[in-house]
Amino acid sequence: MVWRATVLTLFPEMFPGPLGISLAGRALASGLWALEARDIRDSATDKHRSVDDTPAGGGPGMVLRADVLAAAIDATGLPQDRPRLVMSPRGRPLTQARVAELAAGPGPLIVCGRFEGIDQRVIDARGLEEVSIGDYVLSGGEIAAMALIDACVRLLPGVMGKLSSGTDESFSDGLLEYPQYTRPQTFEDRQIPEILLSGDHAKVAAWRLAEAEALTETRRPDLWAARPKAPEKGKNRKRPKNTTDG
Ligand code: ADE
């Protein structure tokens, strides 16, 4: 079975959107993964097809109804083994490690919130895992869901093709990526660092590691503090793998 993202949203027309273009889009078109965007409103029961109501206890905005969303989740008929996520700024921050887990599974069901929130009872009753893509507030979960799906899709077998399967990039070893350069050799009086043109692969690798470490230490002290420690000399300890998030 192909990896599949099932998205529940009030705006299914937003999909595939950017996921239909470039790397993810080519992989989608060639059947390496599948995307299904379902309209939560199709599970509304009253004649106005209403999906939201005012918050219990008062306050601004509208809350997505538990009965309507639960019906939308149940109507997907998805088995329990599919991770059930809901995009929310109050969720656990998404990490590359969680992305890798999701990419290795059958593919998630993703609920996109709108309004002021979602009735807590459906989050509890359907075991939804709240996921945030960062400490800022979007107007809905759709763009967050697209970010999560994109991050997963590029890890699926066959999607990256000849490109490195993410081994050298930011977070794969707990470090930010070293700077890259390409032709022309001189750009506005700025040169490519000479060591990169030396042809000495060991020196290039050492330079890149030093750059990545310096960048991580200054820009992301949280990642730097949590990085995998180099093995002690003579102890022959292996470097822990997949410790990719802070
Ligand atoms: N919905 C609104 N803001 C969000 C965020 N930062 N992450 C995930 N979902 C969201």
Side-chain angles (χ1 to χ4, degrees):
M1 270 285 277
V2 74
W3 192 90
R4 167 179 292 257
T6 304
V7 179
L8 295 181
T9 169
L10 291 165
F11 302 97
E13 65 275 20
M14 283 192 185
F15 292 85
L19 296 173
I21 296 170
S22 189
L23 191 79
R26 282 195 300 276
L28 184 60
S30 60
L32 289 172
W33 67 289
L35 175 66
E36 184 188 10
R38 298 173 65 110
D39 194 343
I40 294 170
R41 203 172 292 279
D42 289 345
S43 296
T45 49
D46 63 340
K47 69 169 191 274
H48 303 294
R49 304 227 302 158
S50 60
V51 293
D52 58 335
D53 211 329
T54 54
M62 299 292 270
V63 177
L64 200 53
R65 284 168 53 149
D67 54 348
V68 174
L69 183 54
I73 293 169
D74 297 346
T76 64
L78 291 177
Q80 287 288 339
D81 70 326
R82 297 272 302 269
R84 297 171 164 194
L85 316 179
V86 54
M87 306 314 297
S88 161
R90 61 167 220 192
R92 277 217 186 84
L94 184 62
T95 62
Q96 187 66 20
R98 185 70 183 118
V99 164
E101 278 175 13
L102 290 168
L109 168 74
I110 309 175
V111 175
C112 300
R114 283 265 154 183
F115 314 114
E116 297 309 302
I118 296 174
D119 189 308
Q120 183 62 41
R121 293 169 297 175
V122 67
I123 297 174
D124 299 338
R126 292 297 178 273
L128 302 180
E129 170 189 343
E130 293 180 82
V131 177
S132 167
I133 65 159
D135 291 339
Y136 41 81
V137 182
L138 304 169
S139 52
E142 286 78 9
I143 290 173
M146 288 177 197
L148 182 149
I149 293 168
D150 181 83
C152 291
V153 164
R154 57 189 292 285
L155 298 183
L156 298 177
V159 172
M160 296 270 273
K162 283 213 187 86
L163 297 171
S164 115
S165 52
T167 45
D168 240 19
E169 63 196 13
S170 290
F171 302 115
S172 66
D173 56 1
L175 294 174
L176 302 181
E177 202 188 353
Y178 49 78
Q180 297 276 22
Y181 302 86
T182 188
R183 279 181 286 269
Q185 201 160 323
T186 307
F187 164 69
E188 295 181 354
D189 292 333
R190 295 163 192 263
Q191 313 299 322
I192 295 177
E194 238 178 80
I195 203 156
L196 298 179
L197 308 172
S198 69
D200 185 330
H201 298 305
K203 275 196 181 152
V204 168
W207 181 87
R208 285 177 167 168
L209 178 61
E211 290 286 317
E213 287 178 341
L215 204 61
T216 308
E217 187 173 13
T218 51
R219 215 170 265 184
R220 291 293 302 274
D222 56 327
L223 289 180
W224 184 245
R227 75 195 182 284
K229 299 292 184 297
E232 281 175 51
K233 278 208 177 106
K235 287 259 175 84
N236 198 25
R237 278 197 293 121
K238 283 227 171 84
R239 217 170 172 208
K241 278 196 178 144
N242 295 329
T243 45
T244 52
D245 57 334

